[in-house]
Amino acid sequence: MADGTELAAVTERVRERIDPAPDERDALQEAVRELIAATESALDDIDVEGEVIHVGSTARGTWVSGDRDIDIFVSFPESLPREDLERLGLQVGNAVLPEGQEEYAEHPYVSGEFDGFAVDLVPCYDVDSPRAIRSSVDRTPFHNAYLEERIDDETAGDVRLLKQFLSGIGIYGSDLRTRGFSGYLVELLVLEYGTFEAVLEAVAEWHPPVRLDPEGHGEKEFDDSLVFIDPTDPARNVAAVVSETSVARFVHHARELLEDPTVSRFFPEPPNPLSADAVVEHVERRGTTPIAVLFEPPDVVDDQLYPQLRRSLDGLTRGLEHRGFSVLRAATWAEERAVLLVELERATLPDVERHEGPPVYVSEHAENFTREYADTDVYGPFIDGDRYVVEREREVADAVTFVAEKLHEVALGAQVEDALRDGYTVYSGAEIGALAEEFGRDLADYFDPAP
Amino acid sequence: MADGTELAAVTERVRERIDPAPDERDALQEAVRELIAATESALDDIDVEGEVIHVGSTARGTWVSGDRDIDIFVSFPESLPREDLERLGLQVGNAVLPEGQEEYAEHPYVSGEFDGFAVDLVPCYDVDSPRAIRSSVDRTPFHNAYLEERIDDETAGDVRLLKQFLSGIGIYGSDLRTRGFSGYLVELLVLEYGTFEAVLEAVAEWHPPVRLDPEGHGEKEFDDSLVFIDPTDPARNVAAVVSETSVARFVHHARELLEDPTVSRFFPEPPNPLSADAVVEHVERRGTTPIAVLFEPPDVVDDQLYPQLRRSLDGLTRGLEHRGFSVLRAATWAEERAVLLVELERATLPDVERHEGPPVYVSEHAENFTREYADTDVYGPFIDGDRYVVEREREVADAVTFVAEKLHEVALGAQVEDALRDGYTVYSGAEIGALAEEFGRDLADYFDPAP
């Protein structure tokens, strides 16, 4: 293992690139000040009580240079009916960000630009405790209060390092495409272990399931491989969205960085998109049969799209395996269009399949089974061990035909299923070279997989 | 279910064909009388004490017409040294059957013909109880004494029916090719249940494991699906050799015979041998890839050959499955030559295979694994769930080449392995049509399998 000074030298150079310069900080502070003033004035105009709070990484000084969203929350009293909160929230938002867009996550808010910064202006309820929240945004002010009290400048620098590191290895972000680590979780991890380096050292030794609970107030068991009990809510796992693979990748890369610290581990080059020819070369070298389903994805946000794509890919994989095919690997990607890719060991199977009947000794079932197959042209029934067996015609002997004609027979995400009903194209074998134009980068990841 | 009178009418007609006629009985009795006299006189000549005993189905009147071996045992006192017993046993045997052959099972005996009957003349020890036997032949006199006391003419008729029935469905005989029911076991089953029909009715309701112990003296547990504690030896399962499939077939056919009694169920026509063209047609219709290994079998008795053939077939099947191939069905036959046949779903696999490494969290193993594959041209290592995975070149992608070149890598029966070392021929796909000339009947069973 490299000694600490080597890592320190690396992190120093990384921080030169990710710490916001004084100019950026000043501009941000100025923008926040103006935004708060504008929001308070808009509140005065509608004559409703409300507290304006600056939250998020820019509030705590933990943003990575350039990645600087300003989140302004307006906290309304609980007595305000929900429809009023939504209406007034949008009204205030539109007043402050006249060019902004109304967005609808769990509830409506306004998103826009202000002095070159991306701004979200979000109404929420001022509840007594995170247990009393009425939507998930109500939790944010509690997180913010908890962190603001604890994160000093030094800690903030370590948070930025960890964010950048996780970003480099592709697991920063709690969106459902990434299923990685949220900004809040990164901040909590640095607080838990003390420094960036201490986080790496601890994570390198993780043996999931890992459970962290700095307030010692956790109330529930969770199945997740990483559990971080929310210090502001004993019933919540902050890491619920982090996938098992994301945890494993964090452990692997923590070990690697400690072993061999380099700046490039924080800023890896994205892979070159694969050309169609290179894709075909891989298919030939592997001797498999990939089958790709290409379609127009449903018009939903990524956090809705990706779970549905994964569910559809699982359904397709299990549907093929259930019919006797072996899936070596599978992947799904969405760019302009979406693709479900399954890579089969073999795309065709024999025309007969073994079908096991009941045990010979369960006479009623036995009679039904032998009667069922009596005048058919199956092979058998014969007896193997204690069971009846027939070899009957296989319903699906060709996976490509099955995917082309009977994709609806497998379990698909609801809106993906609708989208597929509007049509899709099937590519198999070397034909998947045609995907390189749109999915070249995804294909590069697929055919040169890394930890 | 048919009523009893229908079955009775059928068994009556069967008995007309299988009961020995008075002529046959008289001739047999005469031959036995002469054999016993000749054996006693030979014993007198060598001046050693010994009892001459007529044993087996002809002693108990349970033989099926035409299937009439005479077994004469000479029981010597235990004080006689083993080498003397063997020497004198052969001497007596050769005196009685001067044209006979010396045979060597567990110990030597003489086998020959006498007045048109096949005769075995076997020396054994006169031990106090079956627990004290020195070789398995010493047990026979006890079996004989037990049965002679209990089997009357009527019971003997039922025994013949059951023997013929089991013979018709291919599970009569405790040899290791058949793995079915011995004559002794058939007699015990009829004694146990009372009549042939009662045996059928009981067997039709069997739910293995079935344990029968008429003397209520069994001492041990057995794993076999059928356990019949030897009434002369509490530690022995008479049915140990009966395979699970033989038990299941008995149950199935008992049910069928009760349901629809016909004479032809006792005398089924053997299947017509399959022609080469018909074999090829089946291979094409099934869409599989059969691979056959044809060779000169080792020069050993069937009871040694068949277990070895099965062990070799198991080894080949598991060897192929271990390398990723799916075996739909497998069989082994010996005629002049022997064959191991495995029927594969597909004979080729992709050029890469998935290989799972250690969990990411076991850091020492993890480092070894990532180091091992660092500078190779595998795909990966990448992380899936909590494990490292590589996709590496598959060692065996073509089953036919593997069988042709690397058959010795799978577990084979010892003498079969030697025989294969002397050479073998591999047929695959439609080429197995070439086996029809020698194995046409076996192939007919294989491609028209019945319970």
Side-chain angles (χ1 to χ4, degrees):
Chain A
M1 187 167 298
D3 68 10
T5 60
E6 231 180 292
L7 180 61
V10 164
T11 55
E12 196 175 328
R13 283 172 53 209
V14 172
R15 289 195 54 173
E16 283 165 15
R17 291 173 62 175
I18 64 172
D19 285 350
D23 283 6
E24 185 176 338
R25 287 177 191 272
D26 291 348
L28 184 109
Q29 268 161 21
E30 178 57 25
V32 168
R33 227 177 26 79
E34 287 174 26
L35 276 163
I36 290 176
T39 309
E40 282 170 346
S41 139
L43 270 176
D44 284 348
D45 289 349
I46 58 173
D47 200 24
V48 176
E49 221 184 311
E51 191 189 353
V52 180
I53 322 170
H54 175 207
V55 299
S57 62
T58 52
R60 305 182 296 256
T62 57
W63 82 96
V64 167
S65 174
D67 180 11
R68 48 201 199 172
D69 293 352
I70 299 175
D71 296 321
I72 303 290
F73 275 45
V74 183
S75 177
F76 290 101
E78 280 200 88
S79 56
L80 192 69
R82 173 137 197 134
E83 60 205 51
D84 292 345
L85 173 128
E86 294 185 359
R87 184 175 48 79
L88 296 170
L90 291 176
Q91 196 174 324
V92 170
N94 288 321
V96 177
L97 302 166
E99 317 271 288
Q101 294 261 326
E102 295 184 3
E103 302 278 352
Y104 302 84
E106 228 185 315
H107 74 180
Y109 64 100
V110 175
S111 179
E113 223 189 83
F114 187 91
D115 281 356
F117 294 93
V119 180
D120 284 347
L121 217 152
V122 183
C124 69
Y125 275 114
D126 177 17
V127 293
D128 285 342
S129 99
R131 290 166 174 275
I133 61 167
R134 295 166 68 172
S135 89
S136 66
V137 294
D138 301 344
R139 196 180 273 123
T140 303
F142 291 96
H143 291 169
N144 196 60
Y146 183 86
L147 294 173
E148 268 191 337
E149 233 173 65
R150 289 165 176 81
I151 292 189
D152 56 21
D153 278 358
E154 204 170 336
T155 315
D158 283 321
V159 167
R160 283 192 292 273
L161 278 171
L162 186 51
K163 284 182 176 178
Q164 182 59 42
F165 180 61
L166 292 171
S167 191
I169 59 182
I171 53 172
Y172 179 54
S174 60
D175 60 279
L176 297 183
R177 176 176 196 165
T178 308
R179 293 191 293 184
F181 295 75
S182 66
Y184 179 50
L185 180 54
V186 169
E187 291 172 270
L188 290 175
L189 284 170
V190 173
L191 286 177
E192 175 73 13
Y193 293 114
T195 65
F196 173 63
E197 189 176 347
V199 171
L200 294 181
E201 277 163 3
V203 169
E205 300 294 327
W206 272 0
H207 281 76
V210 168
R211 186 181 171 99
L212 299 168
D213 183 4
E215 299 297 317
H217 65 175
E219 291 171 346
K220 280 171 62 181
E221 294 301 313
F222 294 90
D223 272 347
D224 310 296
S225 49
L226 176 61
V227 177
F228 200 121
I229 302 296
D230 192 333
T232 76
D233 182 351
R236 178 168 179 261
N237 174 19
V238 181
V241 86
V242 183
S243 71
E244 190 188 11
T245 302
S246 293
V247 176
R249 299 183 71 190
F250 191 9
V251 173
H252 169 84
H253 287 282
R255 226 154 41 201
E256 295 280 301
L257 181 64
L258 288 170
E259 185 77 27
D260 175 26
T262 64
V263 172
S264 62
R265 292 189 186 276
F266 290 80
F267 305 101
E269 290 290 319
N272 289 323
L274 227 49
S275 69
D277 284 351
V279 169
V280 172
E281 228 170 84
H282 277 294
V283 171
E284 279 165 8
R285 182 182 151 206
R286 292 165 71 83
T288 53
T289 305
I291 302 179
V293 175
L294 185 71
F295 63 104
E296 295 290 332
D299 185 21
V300 295
V301 297
D302 278 5
D303 269 6
Q304 290 181 297
L305 179 60
Y306 276 88
Q308 286 202 41
L309 287 175
R310 289 202 193 94
R311 208 168 313 133
S312 304
L313 188 67
D314 274 5
L316 178 56
T317 301
R318 276 182 287 115
L320 286 165
E321 286 177 343
H322 178 68
R323 285 161 182 83
F325 297 92
S326 297
V327 178
L328 182 67
R329 196 133 59 91
T332 178
W333 309 308
E335 305 288 347
E336 278 301 297
R337 289 172 301 174
V339 66
L340 303 171
L341 174 71
V342 286
E343 187 178 6
L344 302 184
E345 291 200 346
R346 283 290 169 263
T348 62
L349 285 172
D351 296 307
V352 292
E353 67 176 358
R354 180 183 170 94
H355 173 62
E356 298 214 337
V360 171
Y361 310 122
V362 185
S363 59
E364 196 190 326
H365 296 168
E367 275 163 40
N368 289 340
F369 185 80
T370 48
R371 196 172 307 127
E372 180 183 351
Y373 286 103
D375 294 317
T376 64
D377 62 353
V378 300
Y379 288 87
F382 57 96
I383 293 173
D384 188 7
D386 70 345
R387 286 192 174 269
Y388 290 104
V389 176
V390 293
E391 289 158 353
R392 63 184 183 190
E393 199 182 339
R394 188 183 286 277
E395 252 182 73
V396 179
D398 178 342
V400 179
T401 308
F402 174 73
V403 172
E405 293 173 8
K406 304 204 167 157
L407 190 53
H408 60 276
E409 288 187 10
V410 308
L412 299 164
Q415 286 156 302
V416 166
E417 185 167 9
D418 289 342
L420 288 167
R421 204 167 287 134
D422 293 339
Y424 58 91
T425 315
V426 176
Y427 298 94
S428 67
E431 292 168 9
I432 71 158
L435 300 174
E437 198 178 331
E438 184 168 351
F439 299 94
R441 213 176 286 274
D442 302 300
L443 285 160
D445 282 334
Y446 186 85
F447 285 121
D448 187 13
Chain B
M1 184 166 302
D3 68 11
T5 59
E6 231 181 294
L7 179 62
V10 164
T11 55
E12 196 176 330
R13 284 171 55 207
V14 172
R15 288 196 54 174
E16 283 163 18
R17 291 174 62 173
I18 63 171
D19 285 350
D23 283 4
E24 187 176 339
R25 287 176 190 272
D26 293 346
L28 184 108
Q29 267 162 19
E30 179 56 25
V32 167
R33 226 175 27 79
E34 287 173 28
L35 278 165
I36 290 177
T39 310
E40 282 172 345
S41 139
L43 270 177
D44 284 347
D45 291 347
I46 57 171
D47 200 24
V48 175
E49 221 184 311
E51 194 190 349
V52 181
I53 322 172
H54 175 209
V55 299
S57 62
T58 52
R60 305 184 294 259
T62 56
W63 81 95
V64 167
S65 174
D67 181 10
R68 49 203 197 168
D69 294 350
I70 300 176
D71 295 323
I72 304 290
F73 274 45
V74 182
S75 176
F76 290 102
E78 279 200 87
S79 55
L80 191 70
R82 172 137 198 137
E83 59 204 52
D84 293 345
L85 175 128
E86 295 186 357
R87 184 175 48 80
L88 296 170
L90 291 175
Q91 196 174 322
V92 169
N94 286 321
V96 177
L97 302 165
E99 317 271 289
Q101 295 259 326
E102 294 185 2
E103 303 275 353
Y104 302 83
E106 226 184 316
H107 74 182
Y109 64 99
V110 175
S111 180
E113 225 191 82
F114 187 91
D115 281 358
F117 293 92
V119 180
D120 284 349
L121 216 151
V122 183
C124 70
Y125 276 115
D126 177 19
V127 293
D128 285 342
S129 98
R131 288 167 176 274
I133 61 166
R134 295 164 68 174
S135 89
S136 68
V137 294
D138 302 343
R139 197 181 271 123
T140 303
F142 292 96
H143 291 170
N144 196 61
Y146 183 87
L147 294 174
E148 267 191 337
E149 232 173 64
R150 289 166 175 79
I151 292 189
D152 57 19
D153 279 359
E154 203 172 336
T155 316
D158 282 321
V159 167
R160 283 193 291 274
L161 279 170
L162 185 51
K163 284 182 175 177
Q164 182 59 42
F165 180 61
L166 292 171
S167 191
I169 60 183
I171 54 173
Y172 178 54
S174 59
D175 60 279
L176 298 183
R177 175 176 196 164
T178 308
R179 293 192 292 182
F181 296 75
S182 66
Y184 179 50
L185 181 53
V186 170
E187 292 173 270
L188 290 175
L189 285 170
V190 173
L191 285 178
E192 174 74 13
Y193 293 115
T195 64
F196 173 64
E197 189 176 347
V199 170
L200 295 182
E201 277 164 1
V203 169
E205 301 295 327
W206 272 359
H207 281 76
V210 168
R211 186 181 171 97
L212 299 168
D213 183 3
E215 298 297 316
H217 66 175
E219 292 172 344
K220 282 172 59 183
E221 294 300 314
F222 294 91
D223 271 346
D224 311 295
S225 49
L226 176 61
V227 177
F228 199 120
I229 302 297
D230 192 334
T232 77
D233 183 350
R236 179 169 178 260
N237 175 18
V238 181
V241 85
V242 183
S243 71
E244 189 187 12
T245 302
S246 293
V247 176
R249 298 182 71 191
F250 192 8
V251 173
H252 170 84
H253 287 283
R255 226 153 43 199
E256 295 280 299
L257 181 64
L258 288 170
E259 184 78 29
D260 175 26
T262 63
V263 172
S264 62
R265 292 190 186 276
F266 289 80
F267 304 102
E269 291 290 320
N272 289 323
L274 227 50
S275 70
D277 284 351
V279 170
V280 172
E281 226 169 85
H282 277 294
V283 171
E284 279 166 6
R285 183 182 150 204
R286 292 164 72 82
T288 54
T289 305
I291 302 179
V293 176
L294 186 71
F295 63 105
E296 295 290 331
D299 185 21
V300 295
V301 297
D302 278 6
D303 269 5
Q304 290 182 296
L305 179 59
Y306 277 88
Q308 287 202 41
L309 287 175
R310 288 202 194 95
R311 210 169 311 133
S312 305
L313 188 68
D314 274 5
L316 178 55
T317 301
R318 274 181 287 115
L320 287 166
E321 285 175 344
H322 177 68
R323 286 161 181 84
F325 297 92
S326 296
V327 177
L328 182 66
R329 197 136 55 95
T332 177
W333 310 306
E335 305 289 346
E336 277 301 298
R337 289 173 299 175
V339 66
L340 303 171
L341 175 72
V342 286
E343 188 178 4
L344 301 184
E345 290 199 346
R346 283 288 170 264
T348 61
L349 286 172
D351 297 306
V352 292
E353 65 177 359
R354 181 183 170 95
H355 173 62
E356 298 213 339
V360 171
Y361 310 123
V362 185
S363 59
E364 197 190 324
H365 296 169
E367 273 163 40
N368 290 339
F369 185 81
T370 47
R371 197 173 307 126
E372 181 183 350
Y373 287 103
D375 293 317
T376 65
D377 62 352
V378 300
Y379 287 88
F382 57 96
I383 293 173
D384 187 8
D386 70 344
R387 286 192 172 268
Y388 290 105
V389 176
V390 293
E391 288 157 353
R392 63 183 183 190
E393 199 183 337
R394 187 183 288 276
E395 253 183 73
V396 179
D398 178 342
V400 178
T401 308
F402 174 74
V403 172
E405 292 172 9
K406 303 203 168 158
L407 190 53
H408 60 274
E409 287 188 10
V410 308
L412 299 164
Q415 287 157 301
V416 166
E417 186 167 10
D418 290 342
L420 287 167
R421 205 168 286 133
D422 292 340
Y424 57 90
T425 316
V426 176
Y427 298 94
S428 67
E431 291 168 8
I432 71 157
L435 300 175
E437 199 178 331
E438 184 170 351
F439 299 94
R441 214 176 286 275
D442 302 301
L443 286 160
D445 281 335
Y446 186 85
F447 284 123
D448 188 13

